[in-house]
Amino acid sequence: MDWIFLILAGLGEMAGVTSLGFYSNKKHIMALVALVVSFTFSFSFLYLALQTIPMSIGYSIWTGIGAAGGAITNMWLFGESRSWIRFFFIFLIIFAVIGLKFSN
């Protein structure tokens, strides 16, 4: 169950980063509400996950999901660059997080 909490926390991080993008483009109150709700959701589930998952692993996975997912989401929603080098480094983040998990 803790791993599900960690994945949910990572998805909340992605939603928060995306909401931040919407809010920085247009200072709309709904984007701000979504930003606060998303990060509250994310931190709440991260807290639950870290009750049993080691901090170094949990935080790394949470950050990796947020960074990689946020970058991909921003490419899709905000038209950010889709160069091969960006995808390469996103895959490096994903593989580094997986490698960290299995290095325990």
Side-chain angles (χ1 to χ4, degrees), residues 11-30:
L11 294 175
E13 176 77 2
M14 283 175 49
V17 169
T18 303
S19 299
L20 186 60
F22 280 119
Y23 185 71
S24 68
N25 286 340
K26 291 185 177 181
K27 306 290 189 250
H28 194 270
I29 189 70
M30 289 308 293

Side-chain angles (χ1 to χ4, degrees), residues 69-98:
I72 291 169
T73 303
N74 287 340
M75 284 184 225
W76 178 55
L77 291 176
F78 301 115
E80 290 185 5
S81 169
R82 293 183 178 134
S83 68
W84 70 270
I85 195 77
R86 262 186 102 133
F87 281 109
F88 173 74
F89 285 112
I90 288 169
F91 284 119
L92 277 182
I93 291 170
I94 293 167
F95 288 123
V97 168
I98 291 169

